[in-house]
């Protein structure tokens, strides 16, 4: 109701919802799997977007989920490097908003290029208030999850289970959109799709184990440290390396393997481990949008029933704005550290 009257409104909604859902799942592939089934057909049927564009937008929007608290990757990185989890959570907000705005710009360009018009008339404030009241219990979910984690009531892992139970209760008992028979079918489909995705993750972890045993990461980190002592140069070299790694390995496996290797390099070069941690996680997520591994692409190919070749071609226009955000964060790490310094001291 707030943006539906604008050109590409349904696509902008997809980006906004990805931000909200990221606060619940903290996982890019989970965001794609959960939201793609609903939003991709809506963007095609109501928004007038092509199937490859809608799927690529959903894939790119999923990269926001990994930097919106509570992010699983943030917790893993913080536990390995000793950086405060709270600082990581606070530092992810501004980069997440920047990524969302960059995708909105791509949507506006696509609308102008294809002549896509608004899908509905402008809603009145009364209609918006009515929609807000209906969606209130859904909006409350991120508040419960983030508040519970930051207050120490439950861990991020426990938050995932709480979110699943809360969503089930809302769908079945509050909104009454799903009966028990349909719920059984949904659980079965989720189990089947999760099995497919876990097989992909298993292969990525096996590849990561091979990389670890061969000590390729240690040798490359040592070589990068010898190239220059300039923190900006080292950051850009590490980002380039991570983009390649993200094409082959799952992000949590990459963080577990590479964070301990990179930490001495960061300390010796005067690079803030907090800022670099967020840059590292965003870069690895962008890597998941590219072949040959591209776990997010594989998930979307299944959800959107689109061949991988078409997905790869369609996602390319979304990569430059995300890379520009990474470059801005690399040269101006104060963007990341501003909120942690302001709120956490």
């Amino acid at each position: 109701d707030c943006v539906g009257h604008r050109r590409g409104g349904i696509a902008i909604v997809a980006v906004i919802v990805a931000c909200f859902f990221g606060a619940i799942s903290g996982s890019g592939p989970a965001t794609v799997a959960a939201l793609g089934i609903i939003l991709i057909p809506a963007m095609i049927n109501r928004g007038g977007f092509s199937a490859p564009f809608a799927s690529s937008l959903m894939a790119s929007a999923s990269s926001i989920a990994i930097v919106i608290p509570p992010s699983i990757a943030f917790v893993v990185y913080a536990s390995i490097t000793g950086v405060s989890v709270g600082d990581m959570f606070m530092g992810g907000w501004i980069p997440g908003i920047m990524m969302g705005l960059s995708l909105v710009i791509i949507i506006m360009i696509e609308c102008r290029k294809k002549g896509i018009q608004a899908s509905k008339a402008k809603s009145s404030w009364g209609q918006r208030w009515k929609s807000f009241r209906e969606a209130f219990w859904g909006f409350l979910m991120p508040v419960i999850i983030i508040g519970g984690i930051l207050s120490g009531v439950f861990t991020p892992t426990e938050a995932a289970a709480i979110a699943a139970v809360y969503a089930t209760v809302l769908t079945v008992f509050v909104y009454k959109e799903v009966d028990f028979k349909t719920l059984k079918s949904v659980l079965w489909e989720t189990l089947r799709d999760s099995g497919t995705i876990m097989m992909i993750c298993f292969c990525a972890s096996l590849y990561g184990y091979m990389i670890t045993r061969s000590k390729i990461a240690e040798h490359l980190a040592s070589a990068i440290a010898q190239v220059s002592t300039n923190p900006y140069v080292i950051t850009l070299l590490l980002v380039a390396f991570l983009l390649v790694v993200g094409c082959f390995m799952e992000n949590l496996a990459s963080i577990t393997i590479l964070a301990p290797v990179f930490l001495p390099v960061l300390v010796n070069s005067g690079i803030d481990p907090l800022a670099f941690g967020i840059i590292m996680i965003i870069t690895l997520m962008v890597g998941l949008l590219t072949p040959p591994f591209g776990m997010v692409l594989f998930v979307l190919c299944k959800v959107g029933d689109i061949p991988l070749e078409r997905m790869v071609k369609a996602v390319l226009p979304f990569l430059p704005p995300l890379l520009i955000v990474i470059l801005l964060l690399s040269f101006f790490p104060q963007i990341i550290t501003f909120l942690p310094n302001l709120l956490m001291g």
Side-chain angles (χ1 to χ4, degrees), residues 185-198 302:
S185 175
V186 169
L187 291 175
W188 172 248
E189 290 181 9
T190 302
L191 180 64
R192 184 189 60 193
D193 293 343
S194 298
T196 303
I197 296 170
M198 288 305 296
K302 183 172 182 60

Side-chain angles (χ1 to χ4, degrees), residues 224-238 265-272 276 330-331 333:
I224 290 173
Q226 294 175 7
V227 171
S228 173
T229 58
N230 188 304
Y232 297 108
V233 174
I234 292 179
T235 300
L236 291 178
L237 289 174
L238 291 176
V265 178
L266 302 178
V267 173
N268 294 334
S269 304
I271 300 172
D272 188 347
F276 182 80
S330 300
F331 283 105

Side-chain angles (χ1 to χ4, degrees), residues 173-204:
F173 298 104
V174 178
Y175 295 123
K176 298 180 180 179
E177 296 178 348
V178 175
D179 55 25
F180 285 100
K181 182 179 179 180
T182 306
L183 180 63
K184 180 180 177 181
S185 175
V186 169
L187 291 175
W188 172 248
E189 290 181 9
T190 302
L191 180 64
R192 184 189 60 193
D193 293 343
S194 298
T196 303
I197 296 170
M198 288 305 296
M199 283 300 298
I200 298 173
C201 294
F202 168 75
C203 295

Side-chain angles (χ1 to χ4, degrees), residues 11 43 49-59 103 106-111 114 116 306 310-311 314-315 317-318:
M43 283 188 278
F49 293 96
S50 65
F53 181 89
S55 300
S56 300
L57 174 65
M58 202 68 254
L103 295 182
I106 295 294
I107 293 170
M108 294 294 99
I109 294 174
E110 178 73 8
C111 289
K114 299 295 178 63
I116 297 174
I306 299 174
R310 292 185 65 193
M311 275 299 306
V315 82
F318 291 92

Side-chain angles (χ1 to χ4, degrees), residues 27-342:
S27 169
T31 301
V32 169
L35 300 181
I37 298 175
I38 301 171
L39 292 176
I40 291 176
M43 283 188 278
I44 296 171
N45 299 327
R46 293 173 53 191
F49 293 96
S50 65
F53 181 89
S55 300
S56 300
L57 174 65
M58 202 68 254
S60 303
S62 72
S63 62
I64 303 175
I66 204 167
V67 295
I68 298 294
S71 168
I72 301 171
F74 282 4
V75 176
V76 173
Y77 178 88
S79 65
I80 293 173
T81 60
V83 175
S84 167
V85 176
D87 287 350
M88 292 288 293
F89 283 177
M90 292 299 102
W93 282 108
I94 295 179
I97 294 172
M98 292 173 62
M99 295 167 70
L101 291 176
S102 69
L103 295 182
V104 171
I105 293 173
I106 295 294
I107 293 170
M108 294 294 99
I109 294 174
E110 178 73 8
C111 289
R112 288 186 177 275
K113 187 166 62 175
K114 299 295 178 63
I116 297 174
Q117 301 300 320
S119 58
K120 59 176 293 186
K122 187 175 181 179
S123 301
S124 65
W125 285 105
Q127 292 172 315
R128 294 177 182 181
W129 174 245
K130 180 182 178 181
S131 298
F132 175 79
R133 284 187 301 170
E134 293 175 351
F136 172 76
W137 295 107
F139 281 131
L140 194 61
M141 185 185 293
V143 177
I144 295 173
I145 301 304
I146 297 175
I149 293 174
L150 295 181
S151 62
V153 176
F154 43 74
T155 66
T157 303
E158 294 168 344
I162 292 173
V165 173
Y166 183 79
T168 303
V169 171
L170 284 185
T171 306
V172 177
F173 298 104
V174 178
Y175 295 123
K176 298 180 180 179
E177 296 178 348
V178 175
D179 55 25
F180 285 100
K181 182 179 179 180
T182 306
L183 180 63
K184 180 180 177 181
S185 175
V186 169
L187 291 175
W188 172 248
E189 290 181 9
T190 302
L191 180 64
R192 184 189 60 193
D193 293 343
S194 298
T196 303
I197 296 170
M198 288 305 296
M199 283 300 298
I200 298 173
C201 294
F202 168 75
C203 295
S205 301
L206 184 61
Y207 185 82
Y209 173 77
M210 295 170 59
I211 294 291
T212 305
R213 293 288 296 177
S214 61
K215 296 186 178 181
I216 294 176
E218 287 88 338
H219 296 317
L220 284 173
S222 177
I224 290 173
Q226 294 175 7
V227 171
S228 173
T229 58
N230 188 304
Y232 297 108
V233 174
I234 292 179
T235 300
L236 291 178
L237 289 174
L238 291 176
V239 165
F241 174 57
L242 290 170
L243 284 173
V244 176
V245 170
C247 297
F248 296 93
M249 294 175 58
E250 194 268 337
N251 55 5
L252 292 183
S254 302
I255 294 168
T256 305
I257 295 167
L258 298 176
V261 177
F262 287 169
L263 187 59
V265 178
L266 302 178
V267 173
N268 294 334
S269 304
I271 300 172
D272 188 347
L274 166 64
F276 182 80
I278 292 176
I279 294 170
M280 176 183 184
I281 290 166
I282 296 175
T283 305
L284 290 171
M285 190 62 212
V286 172
L288 289 183
L289 301 177
T290 56
F293 179 63
M295 185 170 69
V296 169
L297 293 182
F298 281 102
V299 174
L300 265 179
C301 287
K302 183 172 182 60
V303 172
D305 194 22
I306 299 174
L308 180 61
E309 295 79 8
R310 292 185 65 193
M311 275 299 306
V312 171
K313 183 179 179 181
V315 82
L316 291 179
F318 291 92
L319 298 181
L322 295 178
L323 293 175
I324 290 173
V325 172
I326 292 174
L327 288 176
L328 287 174
L329 297 177
S330 300
F331 283 105
F332 304 101
Q334 299 83 0
I335 296 173
I336 297 173
T337 58
F338 173 73
L339 279 181
N341 291 336
L342 180 66

